[in-house]
Amino acid sequence: MVRTPPLPVRDTSAPRALSPMLTRLAEERATGVLVREYGALHLVEGRVVYAESPLAPGLDVLLTAHGTLAAAAWQRAAAAAEGPLHAAELLLASGLLPAGALELCHLDALYDAGYFALAPSSTPGRFRYDGAPRTGPLPSVPVVALEHETLRRRLQLHRLWPDPATDTAPLIRADPPPGARAAGPRGSGARCRWPGRATGGAVAAGGAGSRVPARPPGPRAAGRCGARRRSGTCPVCCSAPGRSTRRRTARPDGTAPARPRVTGRRPAGVRPRAAAPRPRRRPAARRRPPGCRGP
Amino acid sequence: MPGIDECLLEAMRLPGARGAALVDWTSGLALGTVGEAPGGDHEAAAAEAAELARMAAEHGTFTARGEDRPPVEDVIVSNADSYHLLRFVDTSFDSSVFLHLWLGRAEGNLALARIRLGEMAARLVLG
């Protein structure tokens, strides 16, 4: 009797890196662009210098959305440079932007786009080597740090509401409560960032189980909900935290569900169990979804 | 025009400064750290300080009146051993960060630190 050896199978029980290829590229201090399903990471000598994703607003959007930088100035720099990162460096060199402001936007954009780029994907990533490593003045991030932050955001999303369907539910602008003024830093417009950015509205719908919309393409949206932010239609941004607000999710058929009333506070001492499959009370009710702030 | 690192190093020159960090209060991510961390862990300190900042900024009780001003400037915590000063950075772009300065109580001058940190926060984003 011939005994055939078992076929090798991937051990899915062991924790794996977000992207084994990225880990290897970091170890070999590679320079180039890693293109994955939901975004791309630009590496220089194994460090992430720039990240882009269609699901997160880029550096240009962050800089020009509220007039920090004139859109024409960005376009001029972008035309003269190769890629947004070099355009930003041009702007820095020309003194059009303060270093601190640019670094802040750069890191915000990098971590947000990096989150999506490292989302689980159904297609293998591709890496294009670039022979000319060049480090610029803007800060770069170790691969390990980006992976760590991505995992932290995933965990926080899960804690906010364990059902992933709420992370991608379409959001509808809430009716602001009469006389309510959203607290939050000024000048931000409908800003909606970070875990719960895209999730908060759906989370706030309270027990979204019966009205979970069809899952749109894309990973769990834990970065900026850029489109909503830009168009000012994020319900989470448009309501004052800590106050009674009403939010809705849309059904796939376009009808709006009954609007549950969500109060922004939970009784003192009540802490939700993160692992509860469908808590009766909104788990993160005492905080608004991080990143969303009022207009 | 200072970047994040220069800003934090400048904060560390204040008398009694033990550590400083620039933290995104929406995510709890430390975008830059320098010196010691309260509790020994910069990441945990950033996450916990972000919770405190968020509570202050998001609840109407603590926010300033008027639409065109930042809701909160500082959050100050004192204990028997040290001061914690959180200074919100008011930006024209979408951002939600604060400077967190940890001061030794014996050497630190809270009033001076508050004024200086406010100036640093403005220079960080205005140049």
Side-chain angles (χ1 to χ4, degrees), chain A residues 17-251:
Chain A
L18 288 173
S19 162
M21 185 196 252
L22 182 61
T23 306
R24 181 172 58 74
L25 292 167
E27 283 168 0
E28 69 178 53
R29 295 169 61 84
T31 295
V33 184
L34 174 65
V35 181
R36 303 189 86 230
E37 189 174 7
Y38 296 114
L41 301 176
H42 297 240
L43 306 182
V44 170
E45 295 185 340
R47 291 172 67 92
V48 185
V49 293
Y50 185 69
E52 55 193 334
S53 167
L55 299 170
L59 188 55
D60 54 337
V61 175
L62 294 185
L63 287 172
T64 57
H66 298 294
T68 305
L69 181 71
W74 175 266
Q75 283 159 7
R76 273 197 300 275
E82 190 183 323
L85 182 63
H86 295 160
E89 290 171 6
L90 266 185
L91 290 167
L92 185 64
S94 63
L96 281 172
L97 275 174
L102 187 53
E103 287 180 10
L104 278 178
C105 288
H106 169 68
L107 288 173
D108 272 348
L110 192 157
Y111 279 107
D112 284 352
Y115 174 88
F116 289 110
L118 289 174
S121 62
S122 54
T123 56
R126 299 185 318 272
F127 188 70
R128 194 174 64 242
Y129 281 92
D130 181 350
R134 190 181 69 86
T135 49
L138 287 173
S140 60
V141 173
V143 163
V144 173
L146 179 60
E147 289 183 324
H148 185 74
E149 175 61 11
T150 300
L151 288 172
R152 204 178 65 87
R153 291 183 181 198
R154 279 189 201 173
L155 189 65
Q156 194 158 345
L157 255 185
H158 183 74
R159 282 195 190 125
L160 271 172
W161 192 269
D163 187 347
T166 53
D167 298 334
T168 47
L171 305 181
I172 298 173
R173 188 171 191 139
D175 303 326
R181 180 173 82 83
R186 65 175 166 170
S188 54
R191 177 162 186 265
C192 194
R193 294 201 319 146
W194 204 109
R197 273 162 205 192
T199 56
V203 167
S210 62
R211 44 179 173 276
V212 172
R215 185 184 172 90
R220 288 167 64 116
R224 295 160 194 268
C225 63
R228 295 180 187 100
R229 192 170 67 126
R230 272 168 275 171
S231 60
T233 55
C234 173
V236 187
C237 299
C238 307
S239 55
R243 300 187 173 109
S244 290
T245 54
R246 293 183 294 186
R247 296 162 187 162
R248 289 178 292 174
T249 50
R251 285 171 168 158

Side-chain angles (χ1 to χ4, degrees), chain A residues 66 68 98 100-101 103 105 108 148-149 152 181 183-186 188 191 193-194 197 229 241 287-288 290-291 293, chain B residues 1-2 4 22 24-29 43 51 57-58 64 66-68 71 90 92-96 124-125 127:
Chain A
H66 298 294
T68 305
E103 287 180 10
C105 288
D108 272 348
H148 185 74
E149 175 61 11
R152 204 178 65 87
R181 180 173 82 83
R186 65 175 166 170
S188 54
R191 177 162 186 265
R193 294 201 319 146
W194 204 109
R197 273 162 205 192
R229 192 170 67 126
R287 76 166 74 140
R288 93 188 144 181
R293 59 189 189 189
Chain B
M1 288 188 287
I4 294 170
L22 182 72
D24 183 329
W25 56 266
T26 60
S27 68
L29 170 68
E43 187 184 335
E51 284 281 321
E58 292 182 348
E67 293 288 337
D68 59 341
D90 188 29
S92 60
F93 50 89
D94 277 341
S95 186
S96 56
L124 177 66
V125 291

